[in-house]
Amino acid sequence: MKEFDIVVIGGGLAGSSTALNLSKKGYSVLIIEKEKGGNIKPCAGGMASSMKKFLPLDINEAIESKIMNVEFRWKSSDNVVADLSGESPFWIVRREKLDKLLLDEALKYGSEILRPAQVEEINPQTKNWIIKCSNKITYKSKFLVIADGSQSEWAEYLNLGPRKPKFANTLAIRLKGLGNIPKDSVRFEFGFVKYGFAWAFPLKDSVNIGLGTFINNKSLGDADLKNKVIRSFGFEDLSFQTVHKRLRIWNGIHKLNGDRVILVGDAASLCDPFLAEGIRPSLISSYYAAESIDQCLCTNNNDLNNYSTIINNEWGKSMAWGKRIAQIFYRFPRTGYQLGVKRKTAPQRIAQILSGEMNYEDIAKRVIKRLLTKSKD
């Protein structure tokens, strides 16, 4: 039996980032990852540059584009453009590179990785976790981090996070060239996808295109729909491959920790329910997970409750408003586009959400204040 301070189940963005934060503090960390690695990550790759404060390394090598404005369109027309304030407040990263940078750095600081390997059994003991894997070796750890993504089987097993996770259906495509997407812009296309939207995020020499639907799990398998979206972004070659994924999105305030165990990233159902942003909550949760575990190990206690409190305050309060906005906007998208996106200040507000300058709660309070002011007139 091999013993570690922390075992992290999942070696993606959230898992590798948590492992790096902990290994830099001097703890022994084992990452268990079921995939061999090297695959294209079905992720748009957008992240606020403000997230660098949660990253314990330089990620310039993974940054492909620095975004200065955000474009919104309704069925290829009715354009609205919002400029981002500040110097490169929003980046597009190549997820394969970012994840590899984090993992390599974690290994450099002493983390170990077991891949490909499937966790078959998790058993709690009084002061440890016992983890049995497909390689027939048993591992013991003081703390456990669940970072196995949107398809997490262990979150439910441990009774953490929402009892009934809510999923968005997404489809990811990567095409060579930039089509009609400016290299310093991201585009959101509304109207084509029922109960959702499409997006295009430019890399150096290609574009990450995605479709997402957030209500009623509407199917994205229609070929005509995909072709319309691809053509709207300036591409005529329709011989593309797609990656389908069910994305576990935020669905209420829930406990994200147990006794010596923590959920991070998509496994914790933290993905933005309106814009499908997943990198930011993954980095935030991995940072605070490491801080909470470090505090417990330093003080010889098992109380991780501050982690759930921090994440629910730092992220959950905003997402509660994001969920309300999504439920209204995607049920009445044309009205939402006319009264929301096309409103004078709305595009700038959405751009500020992407760059981390504002959150959904800020927007909601502004709207309520405006309505109250009008009612007194």
Side-chain angles (χ1 to χ4, degrees):
M1 182 180 294
K2 295 186 177 181
E3 298 186 21
F4 294 86
D5 292 319
I6 304 102
V7 164
V8 179
I9 300 177
L13 177 64
S16 294
S17 182
T18 306
L20 174 55
N21 282 309
L22 286 164
S23 60
K24 287 190 74 171
K25 297 177 184 294
Y27 298 114
S28 59
V29 181
L30 173 66
I31 304 166
I32 303 174
E33 170 56 44
K34 64 181 179 180
E35 302 289 346
K36 290 182 179 179
N39 297 328
I40 290 177
K41 297 285 185 178
C43 172
M47 66 175 286
S49 61
S50 59
M51 288 300 99
K52 60 187 175 184
K53 65 185 177 183
F54 294 107
L55 284 160
L57 80 169
D58 186 341
I59 66 162
N60 281 333
E61 184 181 332
I63 299 172
E64 298 264 322
S65 302
K66 295 185 177 181
I67 303 304
M68 300 309 298
N69 58 71
V70 183
E71 300 180 2
F72 304 90
R73 303 199 310 183
W74 179 267
K75 292 187 176 180
S76 300
S77 62
D78 208 5
N79 297 32
V80 178
V81 179
D83 294 329
L84 291 169
S85 59
E87 184 179 350
S88 5
F90 192 66
W91 297 334
I92 308 300
V93 298
R94 191 177 288 265
R95 273 291 306 278
E96 302 93 294
K97 288 185 178 180
L98 177 60
D99 290 16
K100 188 175 186 303
L101 282 173
L102 288 164
L103 180 57
D104 288 349
E105 192 78 355
L107 297 178
K108 187 177 83 173
Y109 276 92
S111 288
E112 297 181 30
I113 185 166
L114 177 65
R115 73 186 314 174
Q118 190 78 36
V119 175
E120 296 182 339
E121 192 175 334
I122 295 175
N123 294 307
Q125 292 186 334
T126 305
K127 295 183 178 180
N128 295 286
W129 289 94
I130 302 299
I131 301 101
K132 297 181 179 180
C133 294
S134 54
N135 65 351
K136 307 306 178 185
I137 298 177
T138 300
Y139 301 90
K140 179 189 288 188
S141 70
K142 298 172 184 175
F143 287 86
L144 184 63
V145 176
I146 305 299
D148 53 344
S150 283
Q151 312 313 311
S152 176
E153 59 181 297
W154 297 113
E156 184 178 359
Y157 174 79
L158 294 167
N159 294 317
L160 297 176
R163 296 295 168 265
K164 294 183 178 180
K166 183 176 176 58
F167 292 88
N169 279 340
T170 66
L171 181 153
I173 303 164
R174 180 173 293 173
L175 295 178
K176 291 183 179 179
L178 298 181
N180 58 26
I181 310 298
K183 65 179 181 180
D184 61 351
S185 298
V186 296
R187 182 179 298 165
F188 294 97
E189 184 75 67
F190 297 95
F192 287 128
V193 181
K194 191 171 185 179
Y195 304 131
F197 66 100
W199 58 87
F201 285 22
L203 301 170
K204 287 180 181 177
D205 54 5
S206 57
V207 175
N208 284 333
I209 292 173
L211 289 75
T213 180
F214 297 83
I215 298 176
N216 297 339
N217 285 324
K218 180 73 175 176
S219 173
L220 294 170
D222 183 80
D224 289 339
L225 169 64
K226 288 182 282 188
N227 293 343
K228 281 181 183 178
V229 171
I230 296 304
R231 288 195 173 101
S232 78
F233 293 136
F235 294 91
E236 291 299 328
D237 183 2
L238 302 178
S239 58
F240 51 81
Q241 291 186 328
T242 60
V243 178
H244 291 264
K245 184 178 181 182
R246 294 181 74 222
L247 191 63
R248 192 183 297 231
I249 58 176
W250 190 92
N251 190 31
I253 299 291
H254 300 282
K255 192 170 184 181
L256 304 177
N257 72 277
D259 187 18
R260 293 172 288 111
V261 59
I262 274 179
L263 303 183
V264 295
D266 289 347
S269 298
L270 296 179
C271 187
D272 185 328
F274 181 52
L275 293 175
E277 183 182 8
I279 293 180
R280 184 154 48 132
S282 288
L283 294 177
I284 291 173
S285 61
S286 62
Y287 174 83
Y288 285 114
E291 291 295 302
S292 296
I293 291 172
D294 174 48
Q295 185 177 24
C296 284
L297 287 168
C298 287
T299 58
N300 195 29
N301 75 74
N302 301 327
D303 187 2
L304 292 168
N305 289 328
N306 66 317
Y307 169 75
S308 290
T309 300
I310 291 170
I311 298 303
N312 287 327
N313 285 334
E314 291 276 326
W315 188 252
K317 285 185 177 179
S318 176
M319 292 304 106
W321 289 104
K323 179 182 177 181
R324 295 178 190 179
I325 293 170
Q327 288 173 332
I328 296 171
F329 188 97
Y330 293 128
R331 289 188 187 279
F332 310 100
R334 185 56 175 161
T335 302
Y337 192 84
Q338 291 296 324
L339 300 181
V341 174
K342 292 203 69 178
R343 186 178 179 85
K344 186 176 181 180
T345 59
Q348 189 63 40
R349 299 295 181 230
I350 296 175
Q352 287 175 308
I353 286 174
L354 289 171
S355 64
E357 295 177 40
M358 291 189 70
N359 60 44
Y360 293 119
E361 186 178 10
D362 295 329
I363 291 177
K365 287 180 177 178
R366 287 170 181 265
V367 171
I368 292 170
K369 183 178 180 181
R370 186 166 62 242
L371 290 174
L372 289 173
T373 301
K374 284 187 176 182
S375 67
K376 294 177 181 179
D377 294 341

